Amino acid sequence: METISYEEFKKIDLRVAKILTAERVEGSDKLLKLVVSLGEEERQIVAGIGKVYLPEDLVGKEIVVVANLEPRKLLGLESQGMLLAADAEDGPILLAPDKESPPGSIIK
């Protein structure tokens, strides 16, 4: 496993996000388009979790996202961040706070 310095790690902006909407991306069996709240801002995140999670089960859930990741296009949709998930044998497992946290809360 490659290591990074603490200074490099401090550049990553991890935040709590609340999923406001979720829908399947047309033309993909694994991509979901999420709209999340980061407190004072809403963002669109496109994530490859559609084989494990149903869109309707995600609305209202809190997740952890990388908020300062450069936007990227996936199937023509801009993803404005990345959710964090564990890589499990059965597919991704979303990382989430164990207690309700305000959207936009900084993860330290």
Side-chain angles (χ1 to χ4, degrees):
M1 177 184 322
E2 185 178 339
T3 62
I4 62 172
S5 71
Y6 182 71
E7 291 304 312
E8 290 173 300
F9 174 74
K10 285 187 350 182
K11 293 178 184 177
I12 302 169
D13 185 5
L14 299 174
R15 302 277 177 139
V16 173
K18 186 169 191 164
I19 300 173
L20 303 175
T21 66
E23 61 186 60
R24 295 206 173 273
V25 172
E26 191 174 323
S28 174
D29 60 345
K30 75 175 196 174
L31 291 180
L32 297 182
K33 180 178 80 169
L34 310 175
V35 175
V36 301
S37 171
L38 291 173
E40 297 184 16
E41 177 183 4
E42 290 182 7
R43 298 242 188 118
Q44 176 174 281
I45 295 178
V46 180
I49 59 172
K51 287 189 174 183
V52 178
Y53 292 94
L54 296 173
E56 56 270 21
D57 293 340
L58 294 172
V59 175
K61 290 195 179 286
E62 292 181 338
I63 57 173
V64 177
V65 300
V66 180
N68 63 338
L69 191 64
E70 185 176 272
R72 182 174 174 206
K73 290 246 181 187
L74 299 167
L75 286 183
L77 297 172
E78 184 173 79
S79 186
Q80 303 163 330
M82 178 183 285
L83 58 78
L84 296 185
D87 186 19
E89 194 172 298
D90 295 342
I93 300 170
L94 295 176
L95 300 185
D98 69 347
K99 292 183 182 178
E100 191 170 330
S101 302
S105 294
I106 297 171
I107 297 173
K108 300 180 180 183

